[in-house]
Amino acid sequence: LECCARDILRMEGCKMITKDSLLLCGLVIVASAVLVRVSVGLGAYSGAGKPPMYGDYEAQRHWMEITINLPVNQWYQNSSDNNLLYWGLDYPPLTAYHSWLCGIIAHHLDPNWVALNASHGYESYHHKLFMRYTVLLVDVIIYFSAAFLFVATCLSEWTESEKLGLLLLLLLQPSMVIIDHGHFQYNCISLGLALFGVIAVVHDWDVIGSIAYSMSLNYKQMELYHALPFFCYLLGKSLQSDRRIVKITKLGVTVIAVFVLCWMPYLSRMDDILQVVHRLFPFSRGLYEDKVANVWCTTSVLMKLRGLLTQQSLTLLTAVSTLVATLPSCLHLLYNPTPYCFVLALVSGYVCRVKYGHHIWSGILMCACTNKINDALLVCNGEYISDCIMDTIGHCSI
């Protein structure tokens, strides 16, 4: 299906699809995308029936258990009822709120699913069905909507056939389907919000774009590597405006307001803030894992950096390396804030984050997932060769 989409995208001026059949084709694509997701969900998942950790299925279930049974200020704290070594929360507050909402629904359906401590390792047919539906529902509501909006509003010069081809490509990228619907994750939420942010700022709806991207970042910290391109693009556009001070102030207040609302339960005590930050950036887990192919893994063949430098020095090295690698495209974007330069800066940020960042296994999975957004951004600018390279990076990593 993905190959078919790419072939359609290369048919310049194709008039195969008429207005009368456009809606039907769109419905078929959506139905196909849902069917693929449901089919993947029928299969097994990693960690099933394997104590003591049970895999990401148990992680998502455990977060629902913790968030509905403990006060909000204890969600990230280690305690007898919240052993952080047993799938402790390590995503931003918006993920925790989402788990809390799902936990309320789960408790209403069957309290045994989220009973404190007693539900560890709980697996049943109906609970698995509930978990699968929670992923499918937010995927359709958030990511599908973002994909439709992107195709409908950002590709005015494309033919209907080309738009449908790109929609097929967006909705059937294998990486996110496998991770979210086979491995139990909710990456579709952060990816959909990020795509909404891209759409908004490209159309000069900068405040809405700032809100969408800030929410994406507060759902998954892996979206941090898109922060510098967003910042430079919005700042560059603001500096070219006649009301630059007002515009910069408005955007700054918007971003701060979103973060304050998301982090409000933890802002009363500095210790709570630091604990959440510590959970979001677990540098102590190591520079890389053996399955992650990045610069640091490659250089370890010749030089074992982990044995030569302290953890603090390694963290600083990776941060500086990522920043230096990302800066050229972002500085160019700052002085040339065009949608095309914005696209290239976003893709550059993705590559630099994968290759130079201090990340663990979940980080590389997220990077592979966001490759589908890079697919759309590159293909809509005619960068087919670059898109093929990005696909290779993303799917070999996963």
Side-chain angles (χ1 to χ4, degrees):
L1 286 170
E2 194 173 355
C3 290
C4 289
R6 294 177 187 278
D7 288 340
I8 292 174
L9 288 169
R10 287 174 171 81
M11 295 178 184
E12 297 183 3
C14 179
K15 303 294 183 182
M16 293 172 11
I17 300 178
T18 65
K19 295 290 185 180
D20 295 336
S21 60
L22 181 61
L23 178 59
L24 178 61
C25 290
L27 291 174
V28 169
I29 290 175
V30 171
S32 301
V34 172
L35 179 61
V36 168
R37 284 160 169 75
V38 172
S39 300
V40 170
L42 294 175
Y45 55 91
S46 61
K50 296 180 181 178
M53 301 304 286
Y54 298 98
D56 269 26
Y57 174 97
E58 172 63 9
Q60 302 294 337
R61 188 214 59 78
H62 179 62
W63 294 346
M64 299 177 194
E65 168 198 345
I66 291 300
T67 52
I68 70 161
N69 287 291
L70 297 179
V72 63
N73 61 348
Q74 295 183 24
W75 290 354
Y76 293 90
Q77 301 288 343
N78 192 53
S79 67
S80 57
D81 288 328
N82 186 22
N83 180 8
L84 295 181
L85 296 179
Y86 184 79
W87 296 120
L89 261 170
D90 53 6
Y91 285 117
L94 213 54
T95 291
Y97 303 147
H98 175 233
S99 296
W100 171 76
L101 181 61
C102 291
I104 291 176
I105 300 172
H107 184 268
H108 176 74
L109 295 174
D110 189 340
N112 293 324
W113 292 355
V114 288
L116 187 62
N117 295 325
S119 60
H120 286 194
Y122 188 95
E123 294 176 332
S124 72
Y125 170 78
H126 289 101
H127 185 251
K128 178 182 176 182
L129 198 62
F130 165 75
M131 296 284 282
R132 294 296 192 198
Y133 278 139
T134 61
V135 180
L136 183 62
L137 183 64
V138 294
D139 197 358
V140 172
I141 292 175
I142 298 179
Y143 187 77
F144 279 42
S145 300
F148 266 99
L149 187 62
F150 178 80
V151 170
T153 63
C154 296
L155 309 171
S156 58
E157 297 181 358
W158 285 38
T159 65
E160 304 304 335
S161 297
E162 292 169 332
K163 290 180 181 180
L164 290 173
L166 184 58
L167 181 63
L168 187 67
L169 180 66
L170 278 170
L171 298 185
L172 288 171
Q173 254 283 9
S175 53
M176 196 182 79
V177 174
I178 293 172
I179 295 173
D180 280 14
H181 300 273
H183 190 62
F184 283 105
Q185 290 275 350
Y186 296 92
N187 293 315
C188 52
I189 296 179
S190 61
L191 293 177
L193 291 172
L195 190 51
F196 274 126
V198 171
I199 296 166
V201 298
V202 166
H203 286 84
D204 295 326
W205 308 327
D206 294 341
V207 172
I208 296 175
S210 298
I211 293 173
Y213 176 70
S214 297
M215 290 179 65
S216 173
L217 183 55
N218 276 286
Y219 192 88
K220 291 269 186 175
Q221 66 269 38
M222 299 305 170
E223 276 298 323
L224 186 62
Y225 62 82
H226 280 152
L228 195 55
F230 264 93
F231 174 79
C232 290
Y233 185 54
L234 292 173
L235 180 60
K237 288 205 300 180
S238 299
L239 291 176
Q240 292 184 359
S241 172
D242 295 333
R243 304 177 62 193
R244 58 179 65 91
I245 301 299
V246 174
K247 200 166 184 181
I248 292 173
T249 302
K250 186 191 299 184
L251 293 175
V253 170
T254 299
V255 172
I256 292 172
V258 173
F259 272 80
V260 167
L261 287 174
C262 291
W263 287 70
M264 189 173 291
Y266 309 100
L267 297 179
S268 59
R269 295 177 64 246
M270 180 58 68
D271 289 344
D272 290 344
I273 298 175
L274 294 177
Q275 176 62 16
V276 177
V277 173
H278 173 71
R279 292 297 302 166
L280 299 187
F281 301 100
F283 296 115
S284 59
R285 295 185 186 179
L287 181 60
Y288 61 87
E289 290 189 4
D290 294 338
K291 63 178 81 70
V292 178
N294 68 347
V295 169
W296 313 120
C297 183
T298 304
T299 56
S300 68
V301 177
L302 303 175
M303 180 172 53
K304 306 294 183 183
L305 291 176
R306 288 187 290 189
L308 298 174
L309 302 175
T310 63
Q311 182 59 57
Q312 291 78 8
S313 299
L314 286 174
T315 302
L316 181 62
L317 174 63
T318 55
V320 171
S321 299
T322 305
L323 180 62
V324 170
T326 309
L327 269 179
S329 61
C330 288
L331 289 176
H332 181 260
L333 175 63
L334 184 62
Y335 290 99
N336 300 275
T338 64
Y340 179 69
C341 292
F342 180 47
V343 165
L344 296 183
L346 287 172
V347 177
S348 174
Y350 156 78
V351 175
C352 295
R353 174 65 178 86
V354 171
K355 294 307 171 187
Y356 296 100
H358 193 300
H359 58 276
I360 55 173
W361 178 233
S362 60
I364 200 69
L365 288 179
M366 184 63 178
C367 288
C369 278
T370 52
N371 189 50
K372 71 190 303 182
I373 291 181
N374 294 327
D375 264 338
L377 298 176
L378 286 169
V379 169
C380 73
N381 283 284
E383 301 284 356
Y384 296 110
I385 299 300
S386 301
D387 176 48
C388 291
I389 294 174
M390 299 298 290
D391 258 353
T392 304
I393 294 173
H395 291 97
C396 284
S397 297
I398 194 174

